[in-house]
Every structure is written in C-alpha cells, then in structure tokens.
Amino acid sequence: MFSSIKAARTPSNTNVLRRCFSQGYQLKKSQATGVVFMNMGGPSTVEETHDFLYQLFADNDLIPINKRFQPLIAKYIAKFRTPKIEQQYKEIGGGSPIRKWSEYQSSRVCKMLDEISPETKPHYPYVAFRYAKPLTDETYQKMLDDGITRAVALTQYQQFSYSTTGSSINELWRQVKKLDPNRSIVWSTIDRWPSNKGLVDAFVTNITKKLSEFPENIRDKVVILFSSHSLPMDVVNTGDAYPAEVAATVYQIMTKLKFKNPYRLTWQSQVGPKPWLGAQTLAISKFLSGMDSSKIPGICLVPVSFTSDHIETLHEVDIGMIEESEYKDKLKRCNSLNESELLTKGLAEMVRDHLKSGELYSKQLPLDYILGKSSDPADLEQLFGDHRKDKN
C-alpha cells in the first residue's frame, strides 16, 4: 500500500491524489476505473499538422496501401498536403478543437459516473488519440503512472468501422504488449453505440433548435441532410459495419422526430481517386439548394458521425458547403454535440451498464475482426479481460 502511494506521488499525479483524498478514499489501485475516450484526434495547433497527417497516412488499418512502404509513402503525402491543411486550420481558429471537447466530455462522464456508479468509483478520464497528441502510448503510460488497474476503452466513433475503432483497438494492443507486459490494467471496450439514447436525444434537440431558425411556414419542408464521414468502397465491400450503423443512428433520430421532415443520408470527406461511399454531401447539397424554393425551401445539414466540432464540420461544412454556396441563405448546419449534457449523460449511463454487465466487448466485434483487413490486428481474447501476471 505504502509503495503504491510512493510510486503514484509524482507531479503528474498530484491532481489524482488530491481528488482521491478529498473524496475520502485511500489510494488503492483496485479502486480506480479509467475511462479512455478513443478518437482519431486532430492537431491542436497549426504546427502539429504535419505530424498528424503523417500518423494518419501511415496507418495501414485506415488507409491500406503497403505495409512495407507505407511509412515512406506517408512521409511524401504528408509533406504534399500539409500547406493546404495548415491553411484550413488557420481559417477555423488555429487548430482543431477536438482535444478540448474530448477532454471536456470524458471529464463530465467521469463526474457523472462517480454519482451513478459508486461501486466503481473513482473514475478517471483519459483521451487517447490515434494520430495526434495525446497519442495512445502517452495516455497508456499516464494510466500506469496513475495506478489504474481497470479501464474501459470507449470509442468516440459511435458507429463502428474497422478502419477507425478497429485501428484504435489495434494500437491499444500494441501498447499493451510494449508498455504493460505484466498486464497491470484489465481492459474492456465499448466498441459502438449507434442507438445510444443520449446520442439520439442530443441530435434531436439540436436539430429541433436549428429547424426553429427557419420560417414556420416552411419549417416542415426543410430537408434534413445527414452527413457522415465516407469510407472507401474497398473497405465497405469487406462487409464493414459502418454504413449500416450510421443508417441506424439516422433512423432512430428520425423516429423521434416523427419523420416530420424529408431527409437523406449522405457522405463527406472523400480523399484520393479511389471510389468512396456516396452520395456525396457536397454534390447533393448543391443540387438541392439550387432547386426552386417551392420544392426545397431549405436544408439543415447534420454531421451525424461526429460527437464534436473539428475540421470536417468547421471547415468542410461551414466554409466549403455553406459559406461558399451561392444559395447559402437556404443552408444551415445543426450545432455539434460538443457540451451536450444529454450526450454525456447517455455515455455515463452506458459505461455504468457496461461495468455492471462484465461484458468485455460487443458480440459483433469478433465478426468485425474476421472481416476486417489488417497487417497487425489485435488479439481480442488476449487484449480484453484479466490477464494480470500477478493477481495478488
């Protein structure tokens, strides 16, 4: 006990210790539960853009090029694309806000968990990005320093894709083998949540608010254009779960809205010459907004696969689709979920139920890994569950 306190008493752990003692806890490793928000991430400053792009294009799970030559190819792609992407980040304020919102959401979820799941408290929030700071290895080391022995890897991609959530899980497995060979942390994961009540309610609330900005006489005729990050068709054709799960989220939202507006699901953020999942949001929004107002009086754009603002909402949608449109008066974007209490409440309740259930991962995840293509996949049975070398 005394050795564990001594090991934890480092500058990086001062806040953790203070919080434990202020709540009346003795610091015991077995009491702490880590909740790790996993996401792609984004450069918090313009200067981090190149490193972010390199990490992204070097990921063989996200962009399967060639395992042997991918680092070299990624180096040249990042160098070529950096000036353009840096300019875009400058135009949205000098960096991505995704870290700010991820840290905010994870903190709120843990505070709620301390109240609704006292048997697993205290809960400590962490963020592990795949391509930007804090990277998975940095977060994992911090968890070890903090004495965490129980952790939930919570994907911020509410709809599962092997190229996103799968990539984050694969990276977690690599860091387990590298940093935690004695398996001091017992892991489980929430690998998808497309129909989470808090998620759906948050979107319904924000869509309703945005629709209220249109004149009442046309409000119910406004097209709700859901937009989700696209996937290359060669990934879709492996049987990836993502398109169906995005559609499930959309249908849940429209059910709560009682289908009072016409709607469509479209796809954005295509990169490169390969075929991608469509129809493209930009093309459909241009086509519909150019029609006579008696047919299409307005469009409400809803980025439905994102839980917060980042470059795809603030630049691709707000600037590329709305600001630059000759029909921008007909276009509005639904606010992102950012600080939605409905969302964080839904996530907290989901984590509580997950911890109570003892489930290590969803019943769908093994099939995802059978269908998914990776040069370095995680071993799900070895990654999740109690594999501690010393269980005393």
Side-chain angles (χ1 to χ4, degrees):
M1 172 65 185
F2 292 107
S3 62
S4 66
I5 292 180
K6 182 178 179 181
R9 191 174 289 147
T10 64
S12 64
N13 291 326
T14 301
N15 291 334
V16 174
L17 285 166
R18 184 181 298 121
R19 182 178 174 198
C20 286
F21 292 136
S22 69
Q23 293 183 353
Y25 295 104
Q26 291 181 331
L27 185 63
K28 293 181 180 179
K29 292 182 179 180
S30 60
Q31 288 182 316
T33 302
V35 181
V36 185
F37 276 46
M38 301 188 305
N39 205 329
M40 178 182 294
S44 297
T45 65
V46 173
E47 291 73 23
E48 295 175 20
T49 302
H50 176 273
D51 290 347
F52 167 75
L53 292 175
Y54 172 77
Q55 294 281 355
L56 188 150
F57 286 104
D59 181 8
N60 190 250
D61 292 331
L62 180 70
I63 305 173
I65 302 175
N66 182 295
K67 176 66 175 177
R68 181 179 177 185
F69 297 107
Q70 188 138 357
L72 181 62
I73 295 170
K75 178 180 177 181
Y76 285 102
I77 296 176
K79 182 179 180 180
F80 173 75
R81 289 184 60 84
T82 292
K84 177 183 177 181
I85 305 303
E86 282 184 338
Q87 181 58 37
Q88 291 180 355
Y89 278 114
K90 289 176 183 177
E91 291 174 10
I92 64 169
S96 172
I98 194 169
R99 179 171 183 172
K100 177 186 76 171
W101 290 122
S102 295
E103 290 177 344
Y104 172 84
Q105 291 172 1
S106 62
S107 177
R108 286 293 301 146
V109 165
C110 284
K111 287 179 181 178
M112 292 179 182
L113 279 167
D114 282 351
E115 297 178 2
I116 67 175
S117 184
E119 61 272 21
T120 56
K121 74 178 185 182
H123 304 86
Y124 298 132
Y126 298 92
V127 172
F129 286 154
R130 187 67 183 84
Y131 313 118
K133 298 177 182 179
L135 293 166
T136 305
D137 59 346
E138 177 186 345
T139 296
Y140 204 113
Q141 187 59 59
K142 187 176 189 306
M143 295 173 69
L144 292 172
D145 293 342
D146 288 348
I148 299 297
T149 58
R150 172 75 174 90
V152 179
L154 170 59
T155 181
Q156 281 187 284
Y157 310 105
Q158 57 266 39
Q159 302 99 2
F160 181 93
S161 174
Y162 190 86
S163 60
T164 53
T165 300
S167 178
S168 288
I169 291 174
N170 292 342
E171 178 63 14
L172 176 61
W173 174 232
R174 287 189 281 271
Q175 297 307 324
V176 165
K177 292 184 290 184
K178 177 182 176 182
L179 299 174
D180 191 16
N182 291 324
R183 309 304 301 275
S184 58
I185 300 178
V186 178
W187 286 94
S188 65
T189 185
I190 298 175
D191 51 72
R192 69 199 71 214
W193 38 285
S195 299
N196 177 271
K197 184 178 183 300
L199 174 74
V200 173
D201 288 347
F203 272 120
V204 168
T205 298
N206 285 6
I207 291 169
T208 301
K209 287 181 179 178
K210 189 56 60 174
L211 288 174
S212 70
E213 296 178 12
F214 290 91
E216 187 174 0
N217 63 317
I218 66 167
R219 194 170 299 158
D220 291 348
K221 297 179 181 179
V222 170
V223 174
I224 301 176
L225 199 61
F226 293 95
S227 184
S228 185
H229 200 297
S230 189
L231 274 184
M233 285 306 299
D234 54 4
V235 175
V236 175
N237 290 336
T238 66
D240 197 90
Y242 180 72
E245 295 196 1
V246 175
T249 303
V250 169
Y251 199 82
Q252 290 287 331
I253 293 169
M254 290 308 302
T255 298
K256 284 233 170 182
L257 290 171
K258 302 186 184 302
F259 296 95
K260 63 181 181 180
N261 289 76
Y263 74 100
R264 281 296 182 273
L265 171 57
T266 56
W267 308 87
Q268 67 179 87
S269 307
Q270 297 90 327
V271 178
K274 282 187 175 184
W276 284 64
L277 181 63
Q280 295 185 23
T281 307
L282 178 60
I284 297 299
S285 64
K286 280 185 175 180
F287 175 72
L288 292 179
S289 61
M291 297 190 69
D292 188 275
S293 293
S294 62
K295 294 183 177 179
I296 305 293
I299 297 173
C300 178
L301 288 155
V302 183
V304 74
S305 61
F306 309 116
T307 56
S308 69
D309 276 323
H310 45 84
I311 196 168
E312 280 86 354
T313 59
L314 298 176
H315 196 282
E316 188 174 354
V317 176
D318 289 356
I319 297 176
M321 295 184 194
I322 298 178
E323 185 65 27
E324 296 179 0
S325 172
E326 59 181 307
Y327 305 105
K328 59 185 175 183
D329 291 342
K330 297 174 69 173
L331 296 163
K332 297 181 185 292
R333 176 175 69 85
C334 174
N335 292 346
S336 297
L337 302 185
N338 294 344
E339 53 190 335
S340 168
E341 287 289 286
L342 290 170
L343 173 67
T344 49
K345 180 175 182 290
L347 293 180
E349 292 173 347
M350 180 175 66
V351 175
R352 175 200 61 193
D353 294 344
H354 171 81
L355 289 168
K356 284 184 177 180
S357 74
E359 183 180 75
L360 297 178
Y361 45 79
S362 76
K363 292 182 179 180
Q364 306 307 317
L365 194 61
L367 180 57
D368 294 318
Y369 268 74
I370 291 172
L371 295 173
K373 308 298 181 184
S374 176
S375 59
D376 189 18
D379 184 329
L380 299 181
E381 291 187 1
Q382 289 300 312
L383 171 56
F384 299 113
D386 191 348
H387 300 282
R388 290 174 292 176
K389 297 294 189 293
D390 180 9
K391 298 184 181 182
N392 295 323

